Amino acid sequence: MTDNLEERSADSGVEEVLDEIIDLEEYAKLGKRPPLSKGYRILVNGDPFVVNEPTPTGRAILTLAGLLPAENYTLRVKMAGEKPHKVGLDDKVDLRRPGVEKFKALPRDQTEG
């Protein structure tokens, strides 16, 4: 009976949600797209955090990392094989995009923004 269910879910185009925490850095190194999951382990300035949403905003990532107020920080995302690029506070980051490796947050200079 479970075989039929598995076959049906594979054919229905509905993606299975994993009950585990997905380590994004691992998937980036493998060059694979992370599956839908209940949580994604990201690195912000080398520290691990778990995000429960596949498309958090820059502000949500900074808040999760305790970097407040978020307006005082510049966030960059490192993609496998690419240079880091800036993430705006209201920009959404697709954690399921293949290659999302880690995040770097730097205090803004008083002259910025």
Side-chain angles (χ1 to χ4, degrees):
M1 173 123 176
T2 57
D3 290 336
N4 291 340
L5 179 64
E6 286 173 13
E7 285 175 24
R8 273 187 278 141
S9 67
D11 292 340
S12 69
V14 175
E15 194 170 355
E16 183 181 346
V17 177
L18 298 180
D19 286 337
E20 58 192 61
I21 304 298
I22 300 298
D23 188 323
L24 288 184
E25 192 174 28
E26 269 182 40
Y27 276 85
K29 287 178 181 172
L30 296 172
K32 292 184 177 180
R33 177 183 171 97
L36 265 179
S37 174
K38 292 197 174 178
Y40 302 89
R41 183 174 297 110
I42 62 171
L43 291 177
V44 180
N45 293 349
D47 295 324
F49 297 93
V50 174
V51 179
N52 297 317
E53 181 189 345
T55 55
T57 62
R59 181 184 309 278
I61 292 168
L62 289 167
T63 300
L64 179 68
L67 301 170
L68 298 169
E71 290 78 10
N72 289 355
Y73 292 87
T74 298
L75 184 67
R76 297 187 186 283
V77 61
K78 170 73 174 90
M79 304 288 291
E82 296 179 21
K83 291 181 177 178
H85 64 270
K86 190 174 176 180
V87 177
L89 292 177
D90 297 321
D91 293 347
K92 287 188 175 265
V93 179
D94 184 357
L95 299 180
R96 297 192 58 230
R97 181 177 164 199
V100 174
E101 245 178 62
K102 55 190 166 188
F103 295 88
K104 185 80 174 168
L106 298 169
R108 285 182 185 238
D109 292 338
Q110 296 303 317
T111 56
E112 280 188 60

